[in-house]
Amino acid sequence: YHFQPIVSAQSGDVYGYEALMRTDPMINMRPLEVIDIATNLGKLYDIEKATMSNVMEYISQNMSLFEDKKVFINSIPAHMLNTADWDVLVDKYRMLMDKLAVEMTEQTETNDEHLAKFRNRLKKHDILLAIDDYGTGFSNLSNLIRYNPNFVKIDRALVQDIQDKPKIQKLVTGIIEFIHENGYSALAEGVETYEELKTMIDLGVDYI
C-alpha cells in the first residue's frame, strides 16, 4: 500500500491518508487488473478481508507515522466482512478502529437492510464514512442522502484541468454547495497541479 496524504484546504495540514493498493512488479498486473480477476473468480471477499487486515496491521506497526491522523480505506460494501471475521479484526485492533474512514463507491448498489448493517457497524466503533468517486457514473443526490456520509470525494475526472473548464467549475460548485448544505465535507480527489489546487480551493472544497 501507498498512503496518499489528505490535506486541509484551509490550513494545509495533513488530515489523514488514503491507503492505495499497489502490486508487486513481479506479477506484472495493476491493482485494477487484480480486482477484475478477483471479480471473475468470485474472490472479492478475499480482497476485502486482506485489505482491512493488512492496512490495520501496517497502522499498528507504524503508529509513529500516523499519530492522530485518519486512514481512509477502500471497502466493497457488497462483500463486507461477515460477523466472525469483523469481530476478529475488532478484537485485534480495537484501539485503532476510530482512526478509520471507510470509503465506499456510490456505484455499489446496496439494499437498505445491508446499508443499515454497514452503517451501524461503523457507528459502533466511531468509524467515518466516505463516498468515493462522486460526480461520475451512477451518482445521484438521493443516493447521497441515503448513505449520509461524513465525506464526499469528488471524482478525479471532474478535477483534472478544472481551471480550464468553466462549465465543470459550475457543476462542481453546485456539488460542493449541496455537500455543505447537507452537513458533509467535500474532498477533491487527484489534485496534481497548482492550477487545480487553486481552483478547487476557490470553489470551496474542504480537503484535497
Side-chain angles (χ1 to χ4, degrees):
Y1 302 90
H2 284 191
F3 291 84
Q4 181 174 14
I6 294 171
V7 178
S8 166
Q10 295 299 316
S11 68
D13 295 332
V14 174
Y15 172 78
Y17 299 91
E18 180 181 359
L20 300 173
M21 182 192 293
R22 292 293 180 263
T23 46
D24 189 322
M26 290 181 63
I27 71 172
N28 195 32
M29 284 190 294
R30 298 186 302 275
L32 288 179
E33 292 177 298
V34 174
I35 296 293
D36 287 342
I37 291 172
T39 301
N40 293 335
L41 295 176
K43 298 290 187 180
L44 283 177
Y45 185 87
D46 295 330
I47 296 286
E48 179 80 358
K49 184 177 179 180
T51 299
M52 291 291 177
S53 58
N54 289 346
V55 172
M56 294 305 295
E57 180 62 19
Y58 189 88
I59 296 171
S60 71
Q61 295 297 322
N62 296 275
M63 282 300 297
S64 62
L65 298 178
F66 293 98
E67 298 177 335
D68 60 344
K69 307 298 188 292
K70 294 291 184 181
V71 178
F72 287 62
I73 182 170
N74 289 281
S75 176
I76 312 169
H79 297 275
M80 73 176 183
L81 298 187
N82 61 40
T83 300
D85 286 339
W86 176 255
D87 288 346
V88 169
L89 192 76
V90 170
D91 287 344
K92 189 171 183 180
Y93 304 109
R94 186 177 303 274
M95 301 304 294
L96 301 177
M97 300 306 288
D98 63 356
K99 292 182 70 63
L100 293 184
V102 172
E103 297 186 19
M104 59 181 286
T105 56
E106 199 211 11
Q107 286 89 328
T108 306
E109 286 299 328
T110 308
N111 64 45
D112 290 340
E113 181 181 356
H114 193 84
L115 180 61
K117 182 178 179 181
F118 184 75
R119 288 194 55 81
N120 287 338
R121 179 178 284 183
L122 301 187
K123 184 178 181 180
K124 183 177 179 180
H125 298 285
D126 296 319
I127 300 171
L128 302 179
L129 176 63
I131 297 298
D132 204 6
D133 303 330
Y134 190 78
T136 61
F138 298 95
S139 297
N140 65 74
L141 301 181
S142 60
N143 256 355
L144 196 60
I145 293 172
R146 180 170 161 254
Y147 294 137
N148 193 32
N150 303 99
F151 305 92
V152 180
K153 300 184 72 179
I154 299 171
D155 191 85
R156 168 67 181 152
L158 296 177
V159 174
Q160 188 172 17
D161 298 324
I162 190 170
Q163 72 279 358
D164 300 323
K165 301 174 180 176
K167 291 182 180 179
I168 298 298
Q169 290 179 32
K170 289 182 181 180
L171 172 62
V172 171
T173 297
I175 290 173
I176 292 173
E177 288 176 352
F178 180 84
I179 289 170
H180 288 164
E181 286 168 1
N182 286 278
Y184 318 139
S185 293
L187 197 164
E189 293 190 282
V191 176
E192 297 181 351
T193 69
Y194 172 80
E195 291 78 14
E196 292 169 353
L197 176 68
K198 184 178 185 303
T199 303
M200 292 308 301
I201 291 174
D202 289 344
L203 295 181
V205 77
D206 301 294
Y207 298 98
I208 293 166

